[in-house]
Amino acid sequence: MLVALIARDKDGALQTRLDNRAAHLAYIEETGVVAQAGPLLDGDAMIGSLVILDVADLAAAENWAANDPYAKAGLFQSVQLIPWKKVIG
């Protein structure tokens, strides 16, 4: 099952993002369920994340999201998990 994780950073949280980036990227590598990922941008500024998870079910996506170092560091203002269907690409 593909799930889109759409997260918006808290205002003024760029340093939190930068401080936890290495741990976040290591988590992506370790878990092996991320099909695609990257930051949401406002100009050149990172303001959130889009992560496409390939997981067994929505509960697995929720567990992944809760254990992401970015989430544990309190980076996000909001997180949405939405089942997603790949059509192109």
Side-chain angles (χ1 to χ4, degrees):
M1 161 182 220
L2 296 174
V3 177
L5 180 156
I6 302 169
R8 297 288 186 154
D9 293 0
K10 292 178 181 173
D11 290 337
L14 178 59
Q15 194 59 53
T16 301
R17 175 176 279 277
L18 296 175
D19 290 347
N20 291 279
R21 186 169 171 77
H24 168 73
L25 294 175
Y27 181 65
I28 287 173
E29 280 292 318
E30 291 166 10
T31 58
V33 298
V34 175
Q36 295 181 337
L40 300 175
L41 302 173
D42 182 6
D44 290 334
M46 294 181 284
I47 60 165
S49 298
L50 170 62
V51 180
I52 304 298
L53 299 168
D54 189 351
V55 291
D57 52 32
L58 197 54
E62 290 168 350
N63 182 62
W64 190 94
N67 288 292
D68 179 359
Y70 278 169
K72 288 184 171 186
L75 174 62
F76 301 130
Q77 170 183 300
S78 66
V79 175
Q80 291 179 281
L81 292 168
I82 305 168
W84 182 70
K85 180 180 177 181
K86 180 178 179 180
V87 175
I88 298 172

